[in-house]
């Protein structure tokens, strides 16, 4: 759960970008980092090894200033998407307040999306948490690749495969080009803060 | 019925717009709204501690041998870099000791070891990056961390004592708590022969490779020795310094 210090009027919110490897989670954070107009009190930490893939995690904290009288800090995390890093993915999900599931729109990544979502549900189960109780936003990334003649999974098919039961808000996006990246962020922050506000009340 | 507006949501909306600007282009109208970012934009503070910081944060999330060994190597490298700074020497030694503990116990390492590792890093960062930090503040910082380190050491030892009743003879040898003063005095030898200690640690790993508990106990003893030796050197230096003031 979020770190809430009522005495010091401080809230730290943890939002995790989850999804299959090479899906664009880190690119999302890089874009957000580039767009941030506030004071960078803490820089993005990105640990990349083995062919520039995130084997560990990215961490981007940013201050929202005072919201409802509370100093609010949003902490964005990504997880390594590669299958073999299950333990890390599980660890990063500890205490998560909101999740953005970044799905890869490429047809050839269809199965990886499904497996990744299944893994997310299982990993949350490890902490006795139900995905339906956590603010969630789907982002169908790499939509721009259609312009390069690559075969993409149509949005309605992605919705059917991933979001049929969850019925979470979903956005098509291109993290590389900045399409709907901030919109996704805005949506998850609002959804997460609304839940936290209710808890505070 | 008119929907009631949530003042928090409104504040959030405004703040998010202020921080990140307006929405990007609508779906289907792709435009290059941002220049590709250079890799260098994402490198954590470009100072001498960059690598160390990344490694400490890595361990906070995943306890992995490669990160731990890299952290030890980096701490040792920096230890040599700051060879003349007695306070940093203590902190680097602490960092190496805690990391060795985590390396051996991994997920079963004491729950306070990783938070303390981060605190030690923050102490190092404070001392390295605050050039004009008064001597007294440096001492207070190191002393506070040392006290926490001692508490952790005792907690680890207590846990080990419960687990290994058959080794009670060894476990009952409870070493005295290390004070900053003692540690400073005993650190002299450590400063003289840092490589020797490293070798003995490695040897101990091979010697006790059969039983992880034995390895852990030995590591504790090593850790105690390292700290004592490290501190004695600093204590000696302090004594010389006091005498010079008379």
């Amino acid at each position: 759960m979020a770190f809430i210090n009522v005495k010091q009027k401080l809230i730290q919110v943890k939002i995790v970008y989850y999804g299959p490897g090479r899906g664009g989670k880190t690119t999302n954070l890089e874009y957000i980092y580039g767009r941030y107009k506030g004071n960078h009190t803490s820089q993005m930490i990105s640990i990349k090894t083995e062919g520039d893939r995130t084997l560990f995690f990215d961490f981007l904290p940013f201050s929202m200033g005072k919201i409802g009288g509370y100093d609010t800090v949003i902490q964005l995390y990504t997880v390594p998407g590669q299958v073999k890093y299950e333990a890390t993915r599980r660890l990063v999900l500890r205490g998560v307040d909101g999740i953005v599931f970044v799905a890869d729109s490429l047809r050839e990544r269809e199965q990886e999306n499904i497996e990744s979502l299944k893994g997310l549900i299982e990993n949350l189960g490890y902490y006795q948490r139900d995905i339906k109780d956590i603010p969630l936003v789907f982002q169908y990334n790499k939509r721009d690749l259609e312009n390069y003649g690559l075969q993409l999974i149509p949005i309605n098919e992605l919705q059917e495969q991933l979001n049929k039961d969850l019925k979470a808000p979903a956005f098509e996006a291109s993290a590389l080009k900045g399409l709907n990246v901030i919109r996704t962020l805005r949506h998850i922050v609002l959804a997460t803060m609304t839940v936290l506000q209710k808890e505070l009340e | 019925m008119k929907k009631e507006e949530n003042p928090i949501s409104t504040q959030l909306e405004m703040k998010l717009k202020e921080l990140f600007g307006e929405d990007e282009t609508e779906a289907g109208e792709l435009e290059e709204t941002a220049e590709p970012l250079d890799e260098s934009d994402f490198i954590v503070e470009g100072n001498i501690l960059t690598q160390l910081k990344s490694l400490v944060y890595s361990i906070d999330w995943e306890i992995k041998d490669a990160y731990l060994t890299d952290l030890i190597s980096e701490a040792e490298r920096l230890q040599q870099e700051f060879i003349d700074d007695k306070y940093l020497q203590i902190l680097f030694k602490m960092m190496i000791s805690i990391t060795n503990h985590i390396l051996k116990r991994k997920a079963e390492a004491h729950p306070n070891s990783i938070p303390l590792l981060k605190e030690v890093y923050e102490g190092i960062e404070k001392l390295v990056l605050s050039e004009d930090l008064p001597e007294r503040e440096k001492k207070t910082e190191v002393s506070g961390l040392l006290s926490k380190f001692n508490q952790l050491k005792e907690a680890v030892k207590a846990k080990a004592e419960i687990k290994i009743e058959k080794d009670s003879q060894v476990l009952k040898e409870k070493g005295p708590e290390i004070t900053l003063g003692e540690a400073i005095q005993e650190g002299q030898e450590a400063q003289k022969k840092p490589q020797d200690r490293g070798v003995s640690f490695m040897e101990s790993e091979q010697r006790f490779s059969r039983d992880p508990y034995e390895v852990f106990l030995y590591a504790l003893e090593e850790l105690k020795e390292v700290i004592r030796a490290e501190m004695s050197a600093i204590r000696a230096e302090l004594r010389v310094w006091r005498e010079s003031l008379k």
Side-chain angles (χ1 to χ4, degrees):
Chain A
M1 294 308 294
F3 171 78
I4 301 171
N5 189 325
V6 179
K7 208 172 177 182
Q8 292 178 4
K9 294 266 177 188
L10 178 73
I11 298 182
Q12 278 177 8
V13 181
K14 179 176 184 177
I15 292 170
V16 174
Y17 280 65
Y18 200 100
R22 293 182 288 160
K25 300 178 292 295
T26 300
T27 313
N28 261 274
L29 257 64
E30 287 175 348
Y31 183 81
I32 291 165
Y33 180 81
R35 285 287 295 265
Y36 184 63
K37 293 169 185 165
N39 292 324
H40 280 291
T41 50
S42 189
Q43 285 180 293
M44 179 170 169
I45 294 170
S46 189
I47 294 164
K48 292 177 181 177
T49 50
E50 287 187 25
D52 211 30
R53 302 265 56 84
T54 306
L55 294 192
F56 199 65
F57 69 97
D58 303 304
F59 171 63
L60 174 59
F62 63 87
S63 172
M64 294 276 294
K66 279 208 189 300
I67 303 290
Y70 280 77
D71 278 321
T72 307
V73 175
I74 308 288
Q75 296 176 326
L76 304 181
Y77 289 84
T78 65
V79 292
Q82 282 68 22
V83 175
K84 58 183 175 173
Y85 297 105
E86 196 60 48
T88 311
R89 280 195 290 279
R90 185 181 290 170
L91 262 174
V92 175
L93 284 172
R94 187 172 56 192
V96 65
D97 298 303
I99 297 166
V100 174
F101 187 89
V102 182
D104 195 326
S105 293
L106 282 169
R107 174 63 78 188
E108 63 187 48
R109 309 284 293 158
E110 195 173 337
Q111 200 51 39
E112 279 84 348
N113 289 331
I114 295 166
E115 289 300 321
S116 181
L117 182 63
K118 207 187 285 178
L120 170 63
I121 294 166
E122 282 171 11
N123 285 333
L124 288 170
Y126 179 82
Y127 298 108
Q128 283 87 47
R129 298 187 70 185
D130 189 333
I131 194 168
K132 289 176 181 164
D133 298 333
I134 300 169
L136 171 72
V137 171
F138 279 94
Q139 186 189 74
Y140 303 131
N141 195 23
K142 303 189 185 176
R143 299 312 298 180
D144 57 310
L145 292 182
E146 203 159 31
N147 302 336
Y148 299 94
L150 293 166
Q151 199 193 353
L152 301 189
I153 311 166
I155 293 293
N156 59 353
E157 211 176 308
L158 280 163
Q159 285 278 72
E160 182 73 14
Q161 287 169 354
L162 305 170
N163 201 13
K164 190 182 170 188
D165 297 328
L166 297 168
K167 293 182 174 50
F171 297 94
E172 50 185 316
S174 165
L176 199 63
K177 303 204 172 194
L179 174 75
N180 281 344
V181 173
I182 301 300
R183 187 172 295 174
T184 307
L185 172 71
R186 191 141 61 210
H187 212 94
I188 192 65
V189 169
L190 283 168
T192 307
M193 291 298 289
T194 305
V195 169
L196 289 176
Q197 189 194 350
K198 281 181 190 159
E199 282 176 12
L200 272 174
E201 286 167 0
Chain B
M1 197 174 152
K2 196 180 173 184
K3 196 182 170 185
E4 202 176 315
E5 203 170 80
N6 182 342
I8 302 287
S9 296
T10 312
Q11 271 186 50
L12 270 169
E13 284 274 17
M14 284 171 62
K15 197 72 193 176
L16 284 164
K17 271 190 180 174
E18 186 188 310
L19 291 175
F20 297 101
E22 293 293 324
D23 262 347
E24 303 89 343
T25 48
E26 289 293 321
E29 295 174 27
L30 293 172
E31 283 177 19
E32 296 216 17
T33 52
E35 288 294 313
L37 294 159
D38 195 71
E39 183 69 19
S40 61
D41 291 337
F42 306 106
I43 301 295
V44 196
E45 297 133 31
N47 60 52
I48 194 164
L49 299 177
T50 299
Q51 180 65 6
L52 192 73
K53 185 173 187 175
S54 297
L55 288 164
V56 170
Y57 273 84
S58 303
I59 288 158
D60 193 31
W61 284 108
E62 186 179 26
I63 303 166
K64 198 173 167 184
D65 283 3
Y67 296 135
L68 292 164
T69 49
D70 284 356
L71 178 60
I72 292 169
S73 304
E74 182 64 8
E76 284 172 348
R77 185 186 74 78
L78 291 166
Q79 202 178 10
Q80 292 305 308
E81 194 84 27
F82 295 100
I83 192 84
D84 297 329
D85 190 318
K86 57 194 179 223
Y87 294 115
L88 283 173
Q89 288 294 314
I90 298 170
L91 294 181
F92 283 123
K93 280 292 159 201
M94 260 193 248
M95 180 173 268
I96 292 166
S97 299
I98 298 165
T99 312
N100 267 320
H101 165 63
I102 301 165
L103 183 63
K104 285 172 187 66
R105 303 298 290 168
K106 297 189 172 63
E108 288 172 21
H110 194 280
N112 290 344
S113 55
I114 291 173
L116 184 58
L117 191 68
K118 279 178 78 182
E119 279 191 61
V120 171
Y121 170 76
E122 282 157 14
I124 290 170
E125 192 178 62
K126 192 174 175 182
L127 264 62
V128 171
L129 302 183
S130 314
E131 287 173 6
D132 301 326
L133 198 68
E135 191 75 7
R136 187 179 291 175
E137 256 190 68
K138 284 185 185 176
K139 187 180 173 183
T140 309
E141 181 73 28
V142 175
S143 179
L145 287 168
L146 190 61
S147 163
K148 287 182 183 176
F149 178 80
N150 274 323
Q151 282 171 20
L152 175 68
K153 192 188 74 173
E154 288 304 317
V156 169
K157 196 165 189 175
K159 202 176 170 186
E161 279 175 352
I162 293 164
K163 279 191 173 181
I164 324 164
E165 285 179 5
K166 63 180 179 183
D167 288 330
S168 58
Q169 198 61 34
V170 182
L171 292 163
K172 280 173 188 170
E173 289 175 20
K174 198 176 175 183
E177 189 160 300
I178 305 168
T179 64
L180 180 63
E182 281 168 352
I184 286 169
Q185 188 184 17
E186 290 167 5
Q188 203 163 23
E189 285 169 31
Q191 264 190 336
K192 284 178 190 166
K193 291 182 177 178
Q195 295 86 352
D196 292 352
R197 290 196 317 282
V199 170
S200 80
F201 216 110
M202 292 304 289
E203 282 171 351
S204 74
E205 282 300 283
Q206 289 159 7
R207 208 181 306 150
F208 294 107
S209 59
R210 294 185 313 275
D211 185 345
Y213 291 118
E214 282 183 14
V215 173
F216 184 56
L217 278 174
Y218 195 89
L220 273 178
E221 288 305 309
E222 279 278 318
L223 190 140
K224 200 157 68 180
E225 268 181 43
V226 167
I227 293 294
R228 278 201 189 118
E230 186 59 38
M231 300 307 170
S232 76
I234 296 168
R235 188 195 272 180
E237 276 191 45
L238 270 180
R239 199 179 297 130
V240 171
W241 176 70
R242 278 197 207 104
E243 281 171 7
S244 70
L245 289 176
K246 284 177 186 172

